[in-house]
Every structure is written in C-alpha cells, then in structure tokens.
Amino acid sequence: MVILITGASHTGKTLLAQRMLEKYKYPYLSVDHLKMGLIRSGNTSLTPEDDDKLTEYLWPIVREMIKTAIENDQNLVVEGCYVPFDWRKDLDDEYLRSIRFICLAMTDSYIDAHFGEIKDHASDIESRLDDSDCTAGTVKADNQKFIQGFEGSGEKVTLIDGDYEQVIDIVLNELDLS
C-alpha cells in the first residue's frame, strides 16, 4: 500500500506522515528531501522557489518510486506538495488500487484564526531554514491553489477548518489500508 499525501505548504503533510509511521510502521519518503538532494547535488538548476517546474521535474521520479514500491508489495507513505493535480492519469488501475490519496488544505477562515499557530508549528518535524516569505496571504493563495486544482480534478480534499488535531485524527482513523 502506498499512501500519497499532498497539499499546500504548512498544512502538516510531514506531521501526518510521521504519525502514520508511528501508527502503521510504514516508512515515508519526503519529496522535499528528494528535491533538496537533487538541488544541492547540482543535478538540476532548479531552486526551491521553482514550484511548478519542480512538480514537472520530480513527479516522474516519484511516480516511478511509487510503482516500484507497489510492484514489490511494499508499504510506503509519500508526502510532498509536488504532485500534479491530474496525477492519476500517469498510473494504470493496477497501481491506483494500491494507492490511498490524501490532500490537506486549510480554509481562509482557519488561516485567519490560526496563522500564528501555523507559523509556530512550521518546523515541528523538519526545520525550515528560511520561512520569511510565509504570510497569511501566501498561505491562503497556496491553499486555494490546491483546493481548486485537486477538486477540479475530481479529488477529495480534506479541509482543515476547525480543530486541526481532530482532522488529523480523523484522517488517521478513516484510512482504509486493506
């Protein structure tokens, strides 16, 4: 089983992946780690700010890693924001049957009410070296992009609009791993 977690920045994708590791003992791959390894190694001229180009660059690699895990009957959580909205078109039904998709996004009202907490928890799992470009406006725009893009592609988006921990617990408890 592969669990694919995506969503806007600061929504807790890595936190959810960490909790899945603890609960289900599934290892997880952070697409951000792959991104930074490729950038720091000089294997790409892209930078961390090249989000759309990074999706085009990273998705074919991540997709093939997902397929390899499924072919080898291995459990894996893959988390990161570099998943195209139409990701399903790149995988046959035999692979799709073994993937559980989760997209996390926050509503504007949640961001307005909890922006300080969002910033305070930004480095809970992974350290953010420079988060100075994170404003309520950029977080709202990023979340709206993911909501519109994935819902427009027919995907379910898990909206965070109230109690954050409750939403994460629901996702963990409703996950069908059969």
mmCIF file of all heavy atoms in Angstrom, residues 111-129:
data_model
loop_
_atom_site.group_PDB
_atom_site.id
_atom_site.type_symbol
_atom_site.label_atom_id
_atom_site.label_comp_id
_atom_site.label_asym_id
_atom_site.label_seq_id
_atom_site.Cartn_x
_atom_site.Cartn_y
_atom_site.Cartn_z
ATOM 1 N N ILE A 111 -7.039 29.874 8.419
ATOM 2 C CA ILE A 111 -5.761 30.594 8.353
ATOM 3 C C ILE A 111 -5.859 31.915 9.101
ATOM 4 O O ILE A 111 -4.966 32.270 9.885
ATOM 5 C CB ILE A 111 -5.324 30.794 6.891
ATOM 6 C CG1 ILE A 111 -5.063 29.426 6.236
ATOM 7 C CG2 ILE A 111 -4.096 31.698 6.793
ATOM 8 C CD1 ILE A 111 -4.974 29.456 4.716
ATOM 9 N N ASP A 112 -6.965 32.645 8.900
ATOM 10 C CA ASP A 112 -7.148 33.916 9.610
ATOM 11 C C ASP A 112 -7.126 33.714 11.124
ATOM 12 O O ASP A 112 -6.501 34.476 11.856
ATOM 13 C CB ASP A 112 -8.474 34.578 9.207
ATOM 14 C CG ASP A 112 -8.442 35.181 7.816
ATOM 15 O OD1 ASP A 112 -7.338 35.509 7.323
ATOM 16 O OD2 ASP A 112 -9.526 35.319 7.213
ATOM 17 N N ALA A 113 -7.792 32.683 11.588
ATOM 18 C CA ALA A 113 -7.920 32.455 13.033
ATOM 19 C C ALA A 113 -6.675 31.833 13.662
ATOM 20 O O ALA A 113 -6.460 31.967 14.862
ATOM 21 C CB ALA A 113 -9.144 31.560 13.301
ATOM 22 N N HIS A 114 -5.848 31.144 12.855
ATOM 23 C CA HIS A 114 -4.752 30.355 13.426
ATOM 24 C C HIS A 114 -3.385 30.633 12.802
ATOM 25 O O HIS A 114 -2.473 29.821 12.972
ATOM 26 C CB HIS A 114 -5.067 28.862 13.280
ATOM 27 C CG HIS A 114 -6.314 28.449 13.973
ATOM 28 N ND1 HIS A 114 -6.362 28.171 15.319
ATOM 29 C CD2 HIS A 114 -7.572 28.282 13.501
ATOM 30 C CE1 HIS A 114 -7.596 27.835 15.652
ATOM 31 N NE2 HIS A 114 -8.355 27.913 14.574
ATOM 32 N N PHE A 115 -3.228 31.757 12.120
ATOM 33 C CA PHE A 115 -1.967 31.973 11.412
ATOM 34 C C PHE A 115 -0.758 31.941 12.341
ATOM 35 O O PHE A 115 0.286 31.387 11.999
ATOM 36 C CB PHE A 115 -1.987 33.271 10.591
ATOM 37 C CG PHE A 115 -0.734 33.437 9.787
ATOM 38 C CD1 PHE A 115 -0.475 32.597 8.710
ATOM 39 C CD2 PHE A 115 0.219 34.393 10.125
ATOM 40 C CE1 PHE A 115 0.697 32.715 7.970
ATOM 41 C CE2 PHE A 115 1.391 34.525 9.397
ATOM 42 C CZ PHE A 115 1.629 33.686 8.319
ATOM 43 N N GLY A 116 -0.872 32.515 13.515
ATOM 44 C CA GLY A 116 0.239 32.484 14.471
ATOM 45 C C GLY A 116 0.644 31.063 14.823
ATOM 46 O O GLY A 116 1.836 30.734 14.870
ATOM 47 N N GLU A 117 -0.347 30.199 15.037
ATOM 48 C CA GLU A 117 -0.068 28.792 15.343
ATOM 49 C C GLU A 117 0.558 28.079 14.145
ATOM 50 O O GLU A 117 1.453 27.239 14.306
ATOM 51 C CB GLU A 117 -1.354 28.069 15.739
ATOM 52 C CG GLU A 117 -1.966 28.555 17.033
ATOM 53 C CD GLU A 117 -3.365 27.996 17.211
ATOM 54 O OE1 GLU A 117 -3.513 26.758 17.254
ATOM 55 O OE2 GLU A 117 -4.308 28.815 17.301
ATOM 56 N N ILE A 118 0.081 28.398 12.958
ATOM 57 C CA ILE A 118 0.632 27.794 11.742
ATOM 58 C C ILE A 118 2.127 28.119 11.668
ATOM 59 O O ILE A 118 2.943 27.234 11.420
ATOM 60 C CB ILE A 118 -0.121 28.307 10.489
ATOM 61 C CG1 ILE A 118 -1.564 27.787 10.485
ATOM 62 C CG2 ILE A 118 0.607 27.905 9.209
ATOM 63 C CD1 ILE A 118 -2.489 28.486 9.500
ATOM 64 N N LYS A 119 2.479 29.359 11.885
ATOM 65 C CA LYS A 119 3.890 29.765 11.865
ATOM 66 C C LYS A 119 4.671 29.100 13.006
ATOM 67 O O LYS A 119 5.800 28.647 12.802
ATOM 68 C CB LYS A 119 4.018 31.287 11.978
ATOM 69 C CG LYS A 119 3.612 32.046 10.742
ATOM 70 C CD LYS A 119 4.656 32.004 9.665
ATOM 71 C CE LYS A 119 5.817 32.917 9.990
ATOM 72 N NZ LYS A 119 6.772 33.069 8.891
ATOM 73 N N ASP A 120 4.050 29.036 14.185
ATOM 74 C CA ASP A 120 4.732 28.450 15.348
ATOM 75 C C ASP A 120 5.062 26.978 15.145
ATOM 76 O O ASP A 120 6.045 26.476 15.680
ATOM 77 C CB ASP A 120 3.879 28.597 16.612
ATOM 78 C CG ASP A 120 3.814 30.034 17.119
ATOM 79 O OD1 ASP A 120 4.637 30.867 16.687
ATOM 80 O OD2 ASP A 120 2.921 30.322 17.947
ATOM 81 N N HIS A 121 4.242 26.264 14.375
ATOM 82 C CA HIS A 121 4.420 24.824 14.177
ATOM 83 C C HIS A 121 5.124 24.480 12.864
ATOM 84 O O HIS A 121 5.272 23.311 12.525
ATOM 85 C CB HIS A 121 3.074 24.100 14.235
ATOM 86 C CG HIS A 121 2.473 24.101 15.605
ATOM 87 N ND1 HIS A 121 2.918 23.268 16.609
ATOM 88 C CD2 HIS A 121 1.485 24.853 16.146
ATOM 89 C CE1 HIS A 121 2.226 23.496 17.699
ATOM 90 N NE2 HIS A 121 1.347 24.462 17.451
ATOM 91 N N ALA A 122 5.578 25.485 12.153
ATOM 92 C CA ALA A 122 6.160 25.266 10.820
ATOM 93 C C ALA A 122 7.373 24.341 10.839
ATOM 94 O O ALA A 122 7.639 23.659 9.852
ATOM 95 C CB ALA A 122 6.534 26.598 10.178
ATOM 96 N N SER A 123 8.089 24.290 11.928
ATOM 97 C CA SER A 123 9.302 23.465 11.994
ATOM 98 C C SER A 123 9.172 22.320 12.996
ATOM 99 O O SER A 123 10.180 21.824 13.500
ATOM 100 C CB SER A 123 10.509 24.339 12.354
ATOM 101 O OG SER A 123 10.805 25.227 11.305
ATOM 102 N N ASP A 124 7.957 21.872 13.251
ATOM 103 C CA ASP A 124 7.760 20.796 14.231
ATOM 104 C C ASP A 124 8.474 19.505 13.834
ATOM 105 O O ASP A 124 9.045 18.834 14.680
ATOM 106 C CB ASP A 124 6.273 20.494 14.435
ATOM 107 C CG ASP A 124 5.609 21.477 15.377
ATOM 108 O OD1 ASP A 124 6.295 22.384 15.904
ATOM 109 O OD2 ASP A 124 4.380 21.350 15.588
ATOM 110 N N ILE A 125 8.446 19.126 12.580
ATOM 111 C CA ILE A 125 9.041 17.861 12.133
ATOM 112 C C ILE A 125 10.334 18.120 11.369
ATOM 113 O O ILE A 125 11.330 17.451 11.585
ATOM 114 C CB ILE A 125 8.051 17.058 11.251
ATOM 115 C CG1 ILE A 125 6.732 16.814 11.996
ATOM 116 C CG2 ILE A 125 8.679 15.741 10.802
ATOM 117 C CD1 ILE A 125 6.846 15.933 13.235
ATOM 118 N N GLU A 126 10.314 19.055 10.455
ATOM 119 C CA GLU A 126 11.502 19.408 9.680
ATOM 120 C C GLU A 126 11.791 20.888 9.885
ATOM 121 O O GLU A 126 10.876 21.706 9.885
ATOM 122 C CB GLU A 126 11.277 19.157 8.182
ATOM 123 C CG GLU A 126 11.089 17.717 7.824
ATOM 124 C CD GLU A 126 10.811 17.514 6.347
ATOM 125 O OE1 GLU A 126 10.312 18.443 5.675
ATOM 126 O OE2 GLU A 126 11.084 16.418 5.857
ATOM 127 N N SER A 127 13.054 21.227 10.045
ATOM 128 C CA SER A 127 13.438 22.626 10.251
ATOM 129 C C SER A 127 13.316 23.410 8.951
ATOM 130 O O SER A 127 13.832 22.991 7.917
ATOM 131 C CB SER A 127 14.872 22.707 10.760
ATOM 132 O OG SER A 127 14.973 22.108 12.020
ATOM 133 N N ARG A 128 12.656 24.523 9.035
ATOM 134 C CA ARG A 128 12.592 25.448 7.901
ATOM 135 C C ARG A 128 13.665 26.494 8.130
ATOM 136 O O ARG A 128 13.590 27.250 9.094
ATOM 137 C CB ARG A 128 11.220 26.096 7.808
ATOM 138 C CG ARG A 128 10.124 25.125 7.461
ATOM 139 C CD ARG A 128 8.769 25.843 7.434
ATOM 140 N NE ARG A 128 7.687 24.899 7.248
ATOM 141 C CZ ARG A 128 7.149 24.599 6.071
ATOM 142 N NH1 ARG A 128 7.611 25.175 4.980
ATOM 143 N NH2 ARG A 128 6.178 23.721 5.988
ATOM 144 N N LEU A 129 14.644 26.515 7.261
ATOM 145 C CA LEU A 129 15.756 27.435 7.448
ATOM 146 C C LEU A 129 15.342 28.884 7.245
ATOM 147 O O LEU A 129 15.791 29.772 7.946
ATOM 148 C CB LEU A 129 16.910 27.063 6.510
ATOM 149 C CG LEU A 129 17.497 25.669 6.725
ATOM 150 C CD1 LEU A 129 18.597 25.382 5.709
ATOM 151 C CD2 LEU A 129 18.018 25.519 8.147
#
